[in-house]
Amino acid sequence: MQGFAGFMWLLSMALIVFSGFALIDAAVRREDAYRAADKKTKPFWLIILGLAFVVNLIFDILSLLPIIGLIATIVYMVDVRPALRGLSGGGRKYGGSSSDGPYGPYNGGR
């Protein structure tokens, strides 16, 4: 039983870290990006992810509320976050536009 308890503790810690990361990520995104991506508002996601984080801290992982919080966190990470990153250019390693080459922007030989 001690091994199972250790596994459940690790799973609980992973869930706390996962929901904490999603909460921080939602907090640093711009408000207008949520509207531009046609997702719910930033305060909505901050409240949902904040509740998920607090529920993961308080309740046992085998209860229903952390599972609901996990589902909300997964929805944010799989659906909302990629849409926000696509709008803000967060997927590029160094930023810049799509016409940038390795030594700067391509200007068509001008």
Side-chain angles (χ1 to χ4, degrees), residues 65-106:
L65 289 176
I67 294 171
I68 294 171
L70 175 64
I71 292 170
T73 305
I74 290 172
V75 166
Y76 175 81
M77 293 297 286
V78 173
D79 182 38
V80 178
R81 185 173 185 252
L84 297 176
R85 289 182 71 195
L87 288 175
S88 65
R92 301 191 62 81
K93 189 172 182 178
Y94 298 109
S97 72
S98 61
S99 65
D100 284 356
Y103 304 109
Y106 178 72

PDB file of all heavy atoms in Angstrom, residues 65-106:
ATOM      1  N   LEU A  65     -14.015  16.428  -7.835  1.00  0.00           N
ATOM      2  CA  LEU A  65     -13.635  17.803  -8.170  1.00  0.00           C
ATOM      3  C   LEU A  65     -12.261  17.926  -8.837  1.00  0.00           C
ATOM      4  O   LEU A  65     -12.122  18.680  -9.804  1.00  0.00           O
ATOM      5  CB  LEU A  65     -13.722  18.688  -6.931  1.00  0.00           C
ATOM      6  CG  LEU A  65     -15.146  18.985  -6.446  1.00  0.00           C
ATOM      7  CD1 LEU A  65     -15.104  19.794  -5.162  1.00  0.00           C
ATOM      8  CD2 LEU A  65     -15.939  19.703  -7.505  1.00  0.00           C
ATOM      9  N   PRO A  66     -11.220  17.224  -8.386  1.00  0.00           N
ATOM     10  CA  PRO A  66      -9.949  17.320  -9.118  1.00  0.00           C
ATOM     11  C   PRO A  66     -10.022  16.772 -10.540  1.00  0.00           C
ATOM     12  O   PRO A  66      -9.323  17.268 -11.427  1.00  0.00           O
ATOM     13  CB  PRO A  66      -8.984  16.494  -8.266  1.00  0.00           C
ATOM     14  CG  PRO A  66      -9.545  16.547  -6.910  1.00  0.00           C
ATOM     15  CD  PRO A  66     -11.028  16.548  -7.098  1.00  0.00           C
ATOM     16  N   ILE A  67     -10.890  15.807 -10.764  1.00  0.00           N
ATOM     17  CA  ILE A  67     -11.046  15.279 -12.124  1.00  0.00           C
ATOM     18  C   ILE A  67     -11.700  16.324 -13.019  1.00  0.00           C
ATOM     19  O   ILE A  67     -11.291  16.520 -14.167  1.00  0.00           O
ATOM     20  CB  ILE A  67     -11.851  13.962 -12.091  1.00  0.00           C
ATOM     21  CG1 ILE A  67     -11.045  12.897 -11.353  1.00  0.00           C
ATOM     22  CG2 ILE A  67     -12.196  13.491 -13.500  1.00  0.00           C
ATOM     23  CD1 ILE A  67     -11.788  11.624 -11.061  1.00  0.00           C
ATOM     24  N   ILE A  68     -12.683  17.043 -12.497  1.00  0.00           N
ATOM     25  CA  ILE A  68     -13.314  18.129 -13.253  1.00  0.00           C
ATOM     26  C   ILE A  68     -12.293  19.235 -13.523  1.00  0.00           C
ATOM     27  O   ILE A  68     -12.227  19.792 -14.622  1.00  0.00           O
ATOM     28  CB  ILE A  68     -14.543  18.661 -12.500  1.00  0.00           C
ATOM     29  CG1 ILE A  68     -15.630  17.590 -12.442  1.00  0.00           C
ATOM     30  CG2 ILE A  68     -15.083  19.932 -13.151  1.00  0.00           C
ATOM     31  CD1 ILE A  68     -16.780  17.933 -11.537  1.00  0.00           C
ATOM     32  N   GLY A  69     -11.475  19.548 -12.521  1.00  0.00           N
ATOM     33  CA  GLY A  69     -10.416  20.543 -12.713  1.00  0.00           C
ATOM     34  C   GLY A  69      -9.395  20.102 -13.744  1.00  0.00           C
ATOM     35  O   GLY A  69      -8.908  20.913 -14.538  1.00  0.00           O
ATOM     36  N   LEU A  70      -9.071  18.816 -13.766  1.00  0.00           N
ATOM     37  CA  LEU A  70      -8.140  18.291 -14.767  1.00  0.00           C
ATOM     38  C   LEU A  70      -8.721  18.437 -16.164  1.00  0.00           C
ATOM     39  O   LEU A  70      -8.001  18.813 -17.102  1.00  0.00           O
ATOM     40  CB  LEU A  70      -7.808  16.826 -14.468  1.00  0.00           C
ATOM     41  CG  LEU A  70      -6.942  16.104 -15.503  1.00  0.00           C
ATOM     42  CD1 LEU A  70      -5.564  16.749 -15.583  1.00  0.00           C
ATOM     43  CD2 LEU A  70      -6.837  14.645 -15.173  1.00  0.00           C
ATOM     44  N   ILE A  71     -10.003  18.160 -16.312  1.00  0.00           N
ATOM     45  CA  ILE A  71     -10.646  18.301 -17.622  1.00  0.00           C
ATOM     46  C   ILE A  71     -10.598  19.755 -18.087  1.00  0.00           C
ATOM     47  O   ILE A  71     -10.281  20.035 -19.247  1.00  0.00           O
ATOM     48  CB  ILE A  71     -12.085  17.767 -17.569  1.00  0.00           C
ATOM     49  CG1 ILE A  71     -12.064  16.247 -17.384  1.00  0.00           C
ATOM     50  CG2 ILE A  71     -12.867  18.141 -18.825  1.00  0.00           C
ATOM     51  CD1 ILE A  71     -13.398  15.632 -17.073  1.00  0.00           C
ATOM     52  N   ALA A  72     -10.877  20.693 -17.184  1.00  0.00           N
ATOM     53  CA  ALA A  72     -10.824  22.117 -17.539  1.00  0.00           C
ATOM     54  C   ALA A  72      -9.403  22.529 -17.918  1.00  0.00           C
ATOM     55  O   ALA A  72      -9.203  23.286 -18.873  1.00  0.00           O
ATOM     56  CB  ALA A  72     -11.332  22.963 -16.382  1.00  0.00           C
ATOM     57  N   THR A  73      -8.414  22.018 -17.195  1.00  0.00           N
ATOM     58  CA  THR A  73      -7.022  22.342 -17.500  1.00  0.00           C
ATOM     59  C   THR A  73      -6.615  21.766 -18.851  1.00  0.00           C
ATOM     60  O   THR A  73      -5.925  22.428 -19.634  1.00  0.00           O
ATOM     61  CB  THR A  73      -6.099  21.806 -16.390  1.00  0.00           C
ATOM     62  OG1 THR A  73      -6.539  22.324 -15.133  1.00  0.00           O
ATOM     63  CG2 THR A  73      -4.662  22.216 -16.621  1.00  0.00           C
ATOM     64  N   ILE A  74      -7.047  20.553 -19.134  1.00  0.00           N
ATOM     65  CA  ILE A  74      -6.734  19.939 -20.427  1.00  0.00           C
ATOM     66  C   ILE A  74      -7.390  20.719 -21.560  1.00  0.00           C
ATOM     67  O   ILE A  74      -6.766  20.936 -22.617  1.00  0.00           O
ATOM     68  CB  ILE A  74      -7.145  18.458 -20.437  1.00  0.00           C
ATOM     69  CG1 ILE A  74      -6.218  17.653 -19.529  1.00  0.00           C
ATOM     70  CG2 ILE A  74      -7.127  17.886 -21.851  1.00  0.00           C
ATOM     71  CD1 ILE A  74      -6.639  16.211 -19.318  1.00  0.00           C
ATOM     72  N   VAL A  75      -8.625  21.162 -21.372  1.00  0.00           N
ATOM     73  CA  VAL A  75      -9.302  21.959 -22.406  1.00  0.00           C
ATOM     74  C   VAL A  75      -8.517  23.239 -22.675  1.00  0.00           C
ATOM     75  O   VAL A  75      -8.313  23.623 -23.832  1.00  0.00           O
ATOM     76  CB  VAL A  75     -10.757  22.274 -21.995  1.00  0.00           C
ATOM     77  CG1 VAL A  75     -11.361  23.355 -22.874  1.00  0.00           C
ATOM     78  CG2 VAL A  75     -11.601  21.022 -22.048  1.00  0.00           C
ATOM     79  N   TYR A  76      -8.053  23.898 -21.615  1.00  0.00           N
ATOM     80  CA  TYR A  76      -7.262  25.116 -21.821  1.00  0.00           C
ATOM     81  C   TYR A  76      -5.968  24.805 -22.581  1.00  0.00           C
ATOM     82  O   TYR A  76      -5.627  25.489 -23.538  1.00  0.00           O
ATOM     83  CB  TYR A  76      -6.927  25.796 -20.488  1.00  0.00           C
ATOM     84  CG  TYR A  76      -6.014  26.973 -20.679  1.00  0.00           C
ATOM     85  CD1 TYR A  76      -6.518  28.200 -21.085  1.00  0.00           C
ATOM     86  CD2 TYR A  76      -4.638  26.859 -20.500  1.00  0.00           C
ATOM     87  CE1 TYR A  76      -5.686  29.274 -21.311  1.00  0.00           C
ATOM     88  CE2 TYR A  76      -3.801  27.935 -20.719  1.00  0.00           C
ATOM     89  CZ  TYR A  76      -4.330  29.134 -21.123  1.00  0.00           C
ATOM     90  OH  TYR A  76      -3.494  30.194 -21.359  1.00  0.00           O
ATOM     91  N   MET A  77      -5.260  23.775 -22.147  1.00  0.00           N
ATOM     92  CA  MET A  77      -3.950  23.477 -22.741  1.00  0.00           C
ATOM     93  C   MET A  77      -4.058  22.983 -24.184  1.00  0.00           C
ATOM     94  O   MET A  77      -3.172  23.245 -24.994  1.00  0.00           O
ATOM     95  CB  MET A  77      -3.220  22.442 -21.893  1.00  0.00           C
ATOM     96  CG  MET A  77      -2.825  22.940 -20.523  1.00  0.00           C
ATOM     97  SD  MET A  77      -1.655  24.291 -20.547  1.00  0.00           S
ATOM     98  CE  MET A  77      -0.174  23.436 -20.989  1.00  0.00           C
ATOM     99  N   VAL A  78      -5.117  22.275 -24.524  1.00  0.00           N
ATOM    100  CA  VAL A  78      -5.232  21.671 -25.850  1.00  0.00           C
ATOM    101  C   VAL A  78      -5.974  22.574 -26.833  1.00  0.00           C
ATOM    102  O   VAL A  78      -5.670  22.556 -28.024  1.00  0.00           O
ATOM    103  CB  VAL A  78      -5.929  20.287 -25.739  1.00  0.00           C
ATOM    104  CG1 VAL A  78      -6.217  19.690 -27.081  1.00  0.00           C
ATOM    105  CG2 VAL A  78      -5.080  19.345 -24.921  1.00  0.00           C
ATOM    106  N   ASP A  79      -6.908  23.375 -26.348  1.00  0.00           N
ATOM    107  CA  ASP A  79      -7.720  24.175 -27.249  1.00  0.00           C
ATOM    108  C   ASP A  79      -7.385  25.666 -27.188  1.00  0.00           C
ATOM    109  O   ASP A  79      -7.113  26.286 -28.212  1.00  0.00           O
ATOM    110  CB  ASP A  79      -9.206  23.970 -26.918  1.00  0.00           C
ATOM    111  CG  ASP A  79     -10.116  24.734 -27.852  1.00  0.00           C
ATOM    112  OD1 ASP A  79      -9.809  24.804 -29.056  1.00  0.00           O
ATOM    113  OD2 ASP A  79     -11.129  25.262 -27.384  1.00  0.00           O
ATOM    114  N   VAL A  80      -7.395  26.239 -26.012  1.00  0.00           N
ATOM    115  CA  VAL A  80      -7.258  27.694 -25.882  1.00  0.00           C
ATOM    116  C   VAL A  80      -5.806  28.129 -26.052  1.00  0.00           C
ATOM    117  O   VAL A  80      -5.517  29.067 -26.800  1.00  0.00           O
ATOM    118  CB  VAL A  80      -7.818  28.159 -24.517  1.00  0.00           C
ATOM    119  CG1 VAL A  80      -7.643  29.652 -24.343  1.00  0.00           C
ATOM    120  CG2 VAL A  80      -9.281  27.766 -24.390  1.00  0.00           C
ATOM    121  N   ARG A  81      -4.884  27.478 -25.385  1.00  0.00           N
ATOM    122  CA  ARG A  81      -3.482  27.899 -25.430  1.00  0.00           C
ATOM    123  C   ARG A  81      -2.898  27.891 -26.851  1.00  0.00           C
ATOM    124  O   ARG A  81      -2.244  28.864 -27.249  1.00  0.00           O
ATOM    125  CB  ARG A  81      -2.643  27.022 -24.501  1.00  0.00           C
ATOM    126  CG  ARG A  81      -1.202  27.463 -24.406  1.00  0.00           C
ATOM    127  CD  ARG A  81      -0.468  26.672 -23.335  1.00  0.00           C
ATOM    128  NE  ARG A  81       0.858  27.171 -23.156  1.00  0.00           N
ATOM    129  CZ  ARG A  81       1.956  26.529 -23.544  1.00  0.00           C
ATOM    130  NH1 ARG A  81       1.853  25.344 -24.111  1.00  0.00           N
ATOM    131  NH2 ARG A  81       3.140  27.056 -23.351  1.00  0.00           N
ATOM    132  N   PRO A  82      -3.117  26.826 -27.665  1.00  0.00           N
ATOM    133  CA  PRO A  82      -2.591  26.891 -29.036  1.00  0.00           C
ATOM    134  C   PRO A  82      -3.196  28.020 -29.858  1.00  0.00           C
ATOM    135  O   PRO A  82      -2.500  28.630 -30.679  1.00  0.00           O
ATOM    136  CB  PRO A  82      -2.956  25.533 -29.624  1.00  0.00           C
ATOM    137  CG  PRO A  82      -3.098  24.636 -28.461  1.00  0.00           C
ATOM    138  CD  PRO A  82      -3.628  25.487 -27.368  1.00  0.00           C
ATOM    139  N   ALA A  83      -4.484  28.316 -29.643  1.00  0.00           N
ATOM    140  CA  ALA A  83      -5.103  29.424 -30.376  1.00  0.00           C
ATOM    141  C   ALA A  83      -4.491  30.756 -29.969  1.00  0.00           C
ATOM    142  O   ALA A  83      -4.241  31.618 -30.813  1.00  0.00           O
ATOM    143  CB  ALA A  83      -6.616  29.428 -30.120  1.00  0.00           C
ATOM    144  N   LEU A  84      -4.222  30.930 -28.684  1.00  0.00           N
ATOM    145  CA  LEU A  84      -3.609  32.168 -28.213  1.00  0.00           C
ATOM    146  C   LEU A  84      -2.174  32.284 -28.699  1.00  0.00           C
ATOM    147  O   LEU A  84      -1.721  33.368 -29.076  1.00  0.00           O
ATOM    148  CB  LEU A  84      -3.653  32.240 -26.685  1.00  0.00           C
ATOM    149  CG  LEU A  84      -5.036  32.279 -26.046  1.00  0.00           C
ATOM    150  CD1 LEU A  84      -4.915  32.237 -24.542  1.00  0.00           C
ATOM    151  CD2 LEU A  84      -5.803  33.501 -26.496  1.00  0.00           C
ATOM    152  N   ARG A  85      -1.452  31.194 -28.686  1.00  0.00           N
ATOM    153  CA  ARG A  85      -0.064  31.224 -29.157  1.00  0.00           C
ATOM    154  C   ARG A  85       0.008  31.506 -30.646  1.00  0.00           C
ATOM    155  O   ARG A  85       0.926  32.166 -31.118  1.00  0.00           O
ATOM    156  CB  ARG A  85       0.635  29.900 -28.850  1.00  0.00           C
ATOM    157  CG  ARG A  85       0.904  29.708 -27.378  1.00  0.00           C
ATOM    158  CD  ARG A  85       1.620  28.430 -27.110  1.00  0.00           C
ATOM    159  NE  ARG A  85       2.985  28.556 -27.588  1.00  0.00           N
ATOM    160  CZ  ARG A  85       3.801  27.536 -27.776  1.00  0.00           C
ATOM    161  NH1 ARG A  85       3.394  26.316 -27.528  1.00  0.00           N
ATOM    162  NH2 ARG A  85       5.030  27.721 -28.202  1.00  0.00           N
ATOM    163  N   GLY A  86      -0.960  30.997 -31.404  1.00  0.00           N
ATOM    164  CA  GLY A  86      -0.992  31.257 -32.837  1.00  0.00           C
ATOM    165  C   GLY A  86      -1.222  32.720 -33.154  1.00  0.00           C
ATOM    166  O   GLY A  86      -0.696  33.246 -34.129  1.00  0.00           O
ATOM    167  N   LEU A  87      -1.997  33.387 -32.330  1.00  0.00           N
ATOM    168  CA  LEU A  87      -2.247  34.814 -32.547  1.00  0.00           C
ATOM    169  C   LEU A  87      -1.069  35.684 -32.147  1.00  0.00           C
ATOM    170  O   LEU A  87      -0.774  36.679 -32.794  1.00  0.00           O
ATOM    171  CB  LEU A  87      -3.474  35.258 -31.750  1.00  0.00           C
ATOM    172  CG  LEU A  87      -4.805  34.777 -32.278  1.00  0.00           C
ATOM    173  CD1 LEU A  87      -5.906  35.173 -31.330  1.00  0.00           C
ATOM    174  CD2 LEU A  87      -5.057  35.344 -33.655  1.00  0.00           C
ATOM    175  N   SER A  88      -0.392  35.297 -31.067  1.00  0.00           N
ATOM    176  CA  SER A  88       0.694  36.134 -30.567  1.00  0.00           C
ATOM    177  C   SER A  88       2.048  35.742 -31.140  1.00  0.00           C
ATOM    178  O   SER A  88       3.045  36.353 -30.806  1.00  0.00           O
ATOM    179  CB  SER A  88       0.740  36.068 -29.037  1.00  0.00           C
ATOM    180  OG  SER A  88       1.067  34.764 -28.619  1.00  0.00           O
ATOM    181  N   GLY A  89       2.097  34.728 -31.986  1.00  0.00           N
ATOM    182  CA  GLY A  89       3.372  34.300 -32.544  1.00  0.00           C
ATOM    183  C   GLY A  89       4.232  33.582 -31.538  1.00  0.00           C
ATOM    184  O   GLY A  89       5.445  33.556 -31.659  1.00  0.00           O
ATOM    185  N   GLY A  90       3.624  32.971 -30.526  1.00  0.00           N
ATOM    186  CA  GLY A  90       4.366  32.297 -29.477  1.00  0.00           C
ATOM    187  C   GLY A  90       4.984  30.989 -29.909  1.00  0.00           C
ATOM    188  O   GLY A  90       5.785  30.418 -29.203  1.00  0.00           O
ATOM    189  N   GLY A  91       4.603  30.492 -31.082  1.00  0.00           N
ATOM    190  CA  GLY A  91       5.149  29.223 -31.538  1.00  0.00           C
ATOM    191  C   GLY A  91       6.526  29.340 -32.172  1.00  0.00           C
ATOM    192  O   GLY A  91       7.208  28.363 -32.383  1.00  0.00           O
ATOM    193  N   ARG A  92       6.949  30.538 -32.500  1.00  0.00           N
ATOM    194  CA  ARG A  92       8.250  30.730 -33.138  1.00  0.00           C
ATOM    195  C   ARG A  92       9.335  30.809 -32.078  1.00  0.00           C
ATOM    196  O   ARG A  92       9.132  31.347 -31.006  1.00  0.00           O
ATOM    197  CB  ARG A  92       8.236  32.003 -33.971  1.00  0.00           C
ATOM    198  CG  ARG A  92       7.159  31.961 -35.052  1.00  0.00           C
ATOM    199  CD  ARG A  92       7.315  33.082 -36.022  1.00  0.00           C
ATOM    200  NE  ARG A  92       8.563  33.046 -36.735  1.00  0.00           N
ATOM    201  CZ  ARG A  92       8.823  32.288 -37.794  1.00  0.00           C
ATOM    202  NH1 ARG A  92       7.916  31.474 -38.234  1.00  0.00           N
ATOM    203  NH2 ARG A  92       9.984  32.342 -38.397  1.00  0.00           N
ATOM    204  N   LYS A  93      10.490  30.286 -32.426  1.00  0.00           N
ATOM    205  CA  LYS A  93      11.573  30.206 -31.450  1.00  0.00           C
ATOM    206  C   LYS A  93      12.115  31.584 -31.073  1.00  0.00           C
ATOM    207  O   LYS A  93      12.336  31.870 -29.912  1.00  0.00           O
ATOM    208  CB  LYS A  93      12.688  29.330 -32.002  1.00  0.00           C
ATOM    209  CG  LYS A  93      13.752  29.014 -30.992  1.00  0.00           C
ATOM    210  CD  LYS A  93      14.719  27.990 -31.533  1.00  0.00           C
ATOM    211  CE  LYS A  93      15.767  27.635 -30.501  1.00  0.00           C
ATOM    212  NZ  LYS A  93      16.687  26.634 -30.956  1.00  0.00           N
ATOM    213  N   TYR A  94      12.328  32.446 -32.039  1.00  0.00           N
ATOM    214  CA  TYR A  94      12.934  33.742 -31.755  1.00  0.00           C
ATOM    215  C   TYR A  94      12.020  34.908 -32.109  1.00  0.00           C
ATOM    216  O   TYR A  94      12.411  36.046 -32.052  1.00  0.00           O
ATOM    217  CB  TYR A  94      14.248  33.903 -32.529  1.00  0.00           C
ATOM    218  CG  TYR A  94      15.273  32.878 -32.140  1.00  0.00           C
ATOM    219  CD1 TYR A  94      15.612  31.870 -33.014  1.00  0.00           C
ATOM    220  CD2 TYR A  94      15.864  32.896 -30.895  1.00  0.00           C
ATOM    221  CE1 TYR A  94      16.530  30.903 -32.658  1.00  0.00           C
ATOM    222  CE2 TYR A  94      16.793  31.938 -30.530  1.00  0.00           C
ATOM    223  CZ  TYR A  94      17.117  30.949 -31.428  1.00  0.00           C
ATOM    224  OH  TYR A  94      18.022  29.996 -31.080  1.00  0.00           O
ATOM    225  N   GLY A  95      10.778  34.640 -32.501  1.00  0.00           N
ATOM    226  CA  GLY A  95       9.869  35.716 -32.883  1.00  0.00           C
ATOM    227  C   GLY A  95      10.141  36.164 -34.298  1.00  0.00           C
ATOM    228  O   GLY A  95      10.882  35.545 -35.049  1.00  0.00           O
ATOM    229  N   GLY A  96       9.549  37.253 -34.713  1.00  0.00           N
ATOM    230  CA  GLY A  96       9.744  37.768 -36.055  1.00  0.00           C
ATOM    231  C   GLY A  96       8.655  37.285 -36.986  1.00  0.00           C
ATOM    232  O   GLY A  96       7.766  36.542 -36.619  1.00  0.00           O
ATOM    233  N   SER A  97       8.733  37.716 -38.243  1.00  0.00           N
ATOM    234  CA  SER A  97       7.700  37.338 -39.198  1.00  0.00           C
ATOM    235  C   SER A  97       8.104  36.085 -39.952  1.00  0.00           C
ATOM    236  O   SER A  97       9.224  35.592 -39.846  1.00  0.00           O
ATOM    237  CB  SER A  97       7.453  38.491 -40.177  1.00  0.00           C
ATOM    238  OG  SER A  97       8.544  38.600 -41.064  1.00  0.00           O
ATOM    239  N   SER A  98       7.169  35.593 -40.781  1.00  0.00           N
ATOM    240  CA  SER A  98       7.440  34.359 -41.522  1.00  0.00           C
ATOM    241  C   SER A  98       8.413  34.589 -42.671  1.00  0.00           C
ATOM    242  O   SER A  98       8.932  33.641 -43.239  1.00  0.00           O
ATOM    243  CB  SER A  98       6.135  33.780 -42.058  1.00  0.00           C
ATOM    244  OG  SER A  98       5.523  34.699 -42.942  1.00  0.00           O
ATOM    245  N   SER A  99       8.685  35.852 -43.037  1.00  0.00           N
ATOM    246  CA  SER A  99       9.624  36.120 -44.125  1.00  0.00           C
ATOM    247  C   SER A  99      11.045  36.338 -43.624  1.00  0.00           C
ATOM    248  O   SER A  99      11.928  36.652 -44.416  1.00  0.00           O
ATOM    249  CB  SER A  99       9.170  37.348 -44.925  1.00  0.00           C
ATOM    250  OG  SER A  99       9.237  38.493 -44.107  1.00  0.00           O
ATOM    251  N   ASP A 100      11.273  36.180 -42.343  1.00  0.00           N
ATOM    252  CA  ASP A 100      12.611  36.355 -41.801  1.00  0.00           C
ATOM    253  C   ASP A 100      13.495  35.169 -42.169  1.00  0.00           C
ATOM    254  O   ASP A 100      13.107  34.014 -42.047  1.00  0.00           O
ATOM    255  CB  ASP A 100      12.582  36.484 -40.280  1.00  0.00           C
ATOM    256  CG  ASP A 100      12.096  37.847 -39.827  1.00  0.00           C
ATOM    257  OD1 ASP A 100      11.857  38.694 -40.709  1.00  0.00           O
ATOM    258  OD2 ASP A 100      11.951  38.039 -38.622  1.00  0.00           O
ATOM    259  N   GLY A 101      14.681  35.479 -42.605  1.00  0.00           N
ATOM    260  CA  GLY A 101      15.660  34.447 -42.884  1.00  0.00           C
ATOM    261  C   GLY A 101      16.608  34.298 -41.703  1.00  0.00           C
ATOM    262  O   GLY A 101      16.405  34.907 -40.656  1.00  0.00           O
ATOM    263  N   PRO A 102      17.669  33.523 -41.871  1.00  0.00           N
ATOM    264  CA  PRO A 102      18.585  33.316 -40.759  1.00  0.00           C
ATOM    265  C   PRO A 102      19.379  34.569 -40.382  1.00  0.00           C
ATOM    266  O   PRO A 102      19.904  34.664 -39.293  1.00  0.00           O
ATOM    267  CB  PRO A 102      19.508  32.205 -41.243  1.00  0.00           C
ATOM    268  CG  PRO A 102      19.392  32.219 -42.723  1.00  0.00           C
ATOM    269  CD  PRO A 102      18.032  32.745 -43.046  1.00  0.00           C
ATOM    270  N   TYR A 103      19.455  35.540 -41.297  1.00  0.00           N
ATOM    271  CA  TYR A 103      20.244  36.758 -41.032  1.00  0.00           C
ATOM    272  C   TYR A 103      19.387  38.009 -40.984  1.00  0.00           C
ATOM    273  O   TYR A 103      19.888  39.111 -41.069  1.00  0.00           O
ATOM    274  CB  TYR A 103      21.328  36.907 -42.101  1.00  0.00           C
ATOM    275  CG  TYR A 103      22.208  35.698 -42.191  1.00  0.00           C
ATOM    276  CD1 TYR A 103      22.129  34.853 -43.284  1.00  0.00           C
ATOM    277  CD2 TYR A 103      23.090  35.376 -41.171  1.00  0.00           C
ATOM    278  CE1 TYR A 103      22.911  33.719 -43.341  1.00  0.00           C
ATOM    279  CE2 TYR A 103      23.871  34.248 -41.231  1.00  0.00           C
ATOM    280  CZ  TYR A 103      23.781  33.424 -42.322  1.00  0.00           C
ATOM    281  OH  TYR A 103      24.558  32.305 -42.382  1.00  0.00           O
ATOM    282  N   GLY A 104      18.070  37.859 -40.863  1.00  0.00           N
ATOM    283  CA  GLY A 104      17.183  39.004 -40.805  1.00  0.00           C
ATOM    284  C   GLY A 104      16.065  38.883 -41.793  1.00  0.00           C
ATOM    285  O   GLY A 104      15.927  37.867 -42.478  1.00  0.00           O
ATOM    286  N   PRO A 105      15.257  39.921 -41.921  1.00  0.00           N
ATOM    287  CA  PRO A 105      14.100  39.838 -42.819  1.00  0.00           C
ATOM    288  C   PRO A 105      14.517  39.839 -44.281  1.00  0.00           C
ATOM    289  O   PRO A 105      15.482  40.486 -44.678  1.00  0.00           O
ATOM    290  CB  PRO A 105      13.284  41.083 -42.472  1.00  0.00           C
ATOM    291  CG  PRO A 105      14.224  41.991 -41.797  1.00  0.00           C
ATOM    292  CD  PRO A 105      15.295  41.144 -41.165  1.00  0.00           C
ATOM    293  N   TYR A 106      13.785  39.086 -45.075  1.00  0.00           N
ATOM    294  CA  TYR A 106      14.009  39.060 -46.519  1.00  0.00           C
ATOM    295  C   TYR A 106      13.264  40.217 -47.131  1.00  0.00           C
ATOM    296  O   TYR A 106      12.070  40.374 -46.952  1.00  0.00           O
ATOM    297  CB  TYR A 106      13.508  37.733 -47.103  1.00  0.00           C
ATOM    298  CG  TYR A 106      13.666  37.662 -48.597  1.00  0.00           C
ATOM    299  CD1 TYR A 106      14.915  37.517 -49.176  1.00  0.00           C
ATOM    300  CD2 TYR A 106      12.565  37.758 -49.425  1.00  0.00           C
ATOM    301  CE1 TYR A 106      15.058  37.462 -50.540  1.00  0.00           C
ATOM    302  CE2 TYR A 106      12.683  37.701 -50.790  1.00  0.00           C
ATOM    303  CZ  TYR A 106      13.944  37.549 -51.347  1.00  0.00           C
ATOM    304  OH  TYR A 106      14.082  37.501 -52.697  1.00  0.00           O
TER     305      TYR A 106
END
